[in-house]
Amino acid sequence: MKFFIDNWFLILAACVSGGMLLWPLVQRGSGGGKLTTTEAVMLINREKAVLIDVSEPAEFAAGHAAGAKNVPLGKLEASGELPKNKALPLVVLCPSGARASRGVAILRKLGYENSRALAGGSAAWREANLPVEKSAA
């Protein structure tokens, strides 16, 4: 017991550093983290993930990830554009990534448990030099 009392600071430092090492594993296991562009492309190629862009139609028309379906955030719950197979992975994006996180929360309520937001949104997609399309407005 004397050892613990004399070395409480070292024990605390070991516990904190161990927790910091385990945190990314805990977060990734719960599906709470955002996808990088590399992870998103791997999901699309390996597991046939579907890109869902929750931008407004004007933002979507100005430029979006190639192959993405536009389902505005406000119409997400009533949309018929979502895949019927709820087991398919969904990659949700918007221009900055902020609305995508809210979109993921809505999709999970609808039963799409395998949906994740793209970190950085469309801006990160463009920055990674991934294909972008423009729609006729």
Side-chain angles (χ1 to χ4, degrees), residues 1-12:
M1 190 65 169
K2 183 174 176 356
F3 174 80
F4 292 111
I5 294 171
D6 291 344
N7 297 300
W8 69 270
F9 186 76
L10 293 174
I11 294 169
L12 178 66

Side-chain angles (χ1 to χ4, degrees), residues 50-53 60 64-71 91 93 125 133 135:
V50 178
L51 282 171
I52 303 292
D53 193 324
F60 185 78
H64 56 272
K69 291 183 179 184
N70 183 224
V71 184
V91 177
L93 66 151
W125 188 268
E133 300 173 334
S135 301

Side-chain angles (χ1 to χ4, degrees), residues 50-61 64 67-83 90-95 99-100 102-104 106-107 110 112:
V50 178
L51 282 171
I52 303 292
D53 193 324
V54 293
S55 306
E56 292 302 314
E59 294 171 313
F60 185 78
H64 56 272
K69 291 183 179 184
N70 183 224
V71 184
L73 185 64
K75 299 178 182 175
L76 200 55
E77 291 186 56
S79 177
E81 293 289 316
L82 297 173
L90 301 181
V91 177
V92 184
L93 66 151
C94 68
R99 281 179 276 179
R102 291 190 304 227
V104 167
I106 292 169
L107 287 166
L110 294 174
Y112 294 93

